[in-house]
Amino acid sequence: MTELATPSAKRLQRPSWRDSRLLVGVLLVLLAATLGAKAVASADDRVPVWVASGNLVAGDRIDDSSFVRADVRLGDGMTGYLGADSPAPTGSFMLRDVRAGELVPVSAVGGADAVDVQRVTVRADALSTTGLARGSRVDVFVTPKTSTTSGSARVETRKVLESAAVAAVLTSSGGFGSGSMTSVQIYVPAAKVQPLVEAVDAEAKVTLVPAVGAVSGGGA
């Protein structure tokens, strides 16, 4: 009988750097490490900034509830926003409108001496104030009160303000319909405060018309 050949055991060989599988594995590890490092670096790029908690209007005095902090990642060169790594500038004033949820630009905040508007309260027909809220923009029309001695003299309606900001919608009175009136606080440029106050004191009719493109939205 012929003897059967006995198979010889193959020794395990160390993988060589020339082994393509080893090279692919090393490349995958390096790629994963690089992507992980980039993800961590991107997260670390976030910076704290102040965001408007509600609609802020030019002339508003900033208090503790005006801003909320948010950590965001800004693009290159976007350095003009109010950083939340310092306390909020309470006691300062808004110099222009900032909508709820928007980042607050540094240029939108300043001292009282930089504010050029004042709050004036007017009473307007409730129908003309429907849908108005803090932050809305309105054109203000004034119709002088007719005199009983003027007979059929023509009374002209004038636009006295354009795109004035609504600071607050206050109270309504007189029930429903054309006799119902609403008190509204609006921000008026300093140079136009006196003419508007004189018209109000003379019992002129005030009509508020939403400005074209104005945003009527809530917000504190």
Side-chain angles (χ1 to χ4, degrees):
M1 295 179 61
T2 59
E3 295 183 357
L4 297 176
T6 303
S8 59
K10 293 184 178 180
R11 295 184 177 179
L12 295 177
Q13 297 180 347
R14 289 185 178 181
S16 170
W17 285 104
R18 296 179 181 178
D19 191 329
S20 61
R21 292 172 298 177
L22 179 60
L23 291 175
V24 170
V26 171
L27 290 176
L28 289 176
V29 171
L30 291 176
L31 179 61
T34 301
L35 293 177
K38 285 186 176 181
V40 172
S42 297
D44 291 342
D45 284 344
R46 293 182 303 172
V47 295
V49 294
W50 290 116
V51 175
S53 60
N55 289 336
L56 301 176
V57 184
D60 283 348
R61 189 175 187 274
I62 298 169
D63 58 29
D64 292 335
S65 63
S66 300
F67 301 153
V68 294
R69 172 182 165 142
D71 294 326
V72 300
R73 189 169 64 228
L74 299 176
D76 293 339
M78 297 179 65
T79 58
Y81 295 104
L82 202 61
D85 48 358
S86 299
T90 55
S92 299
F93 291 84
M94 297 301 301
L95 304 184
R96 58 186 177 90
D97 295 0
V98 177
R99 294 294 174 185
E102 292 182 348
L103 306 185
V104 181
V106 174
S107 60
V109 177
D113 57 342
V115 179
D116 62 352
V117 292
Q118 294 175 268
R119 285 196 186 202
V120 177
T121 301
V122 300
R123 287 173 58 79
D125 188 298
L127 293 178
S128 75
T129 63
T130 301
L132 295 184
R134 174 180 173 79
S136 300
R137 288 275 175 172
V138 294
D139 295 337
V140 181
F141 293 83
V142 168
T143 305
K145 183 179 180 180
T146 57
S147 173
T148 56
T149 60
S150 61
S152 59
R154 182 181 177 184
V155 177
E156 292 188 356
T157 298
R158 297 179 297 113
K159 181 194 287 188
V160 297
L161 286 175
E162 186 171 347
S163 194
V166 174
V169 179
L170 304 175
T171 58
S172 298
S173 61
F176 299 97
S178 59
S180 179
M181 304 294 288
T182 301
S183 295
V184 180
Q185 282 188 345
I186 56 177
Y187 281 114
V188 180
K192 296 186 177 182
V193 169
Q194 183 173 339
L196 180 59
V197 171
E198 289 175 349
V200 171
D201 289 346
E203 299 182 354
K205 178 184 177 182
V206 177
T207 302
L208 306 180
V209 179
V212 175
V215 178
S216 296

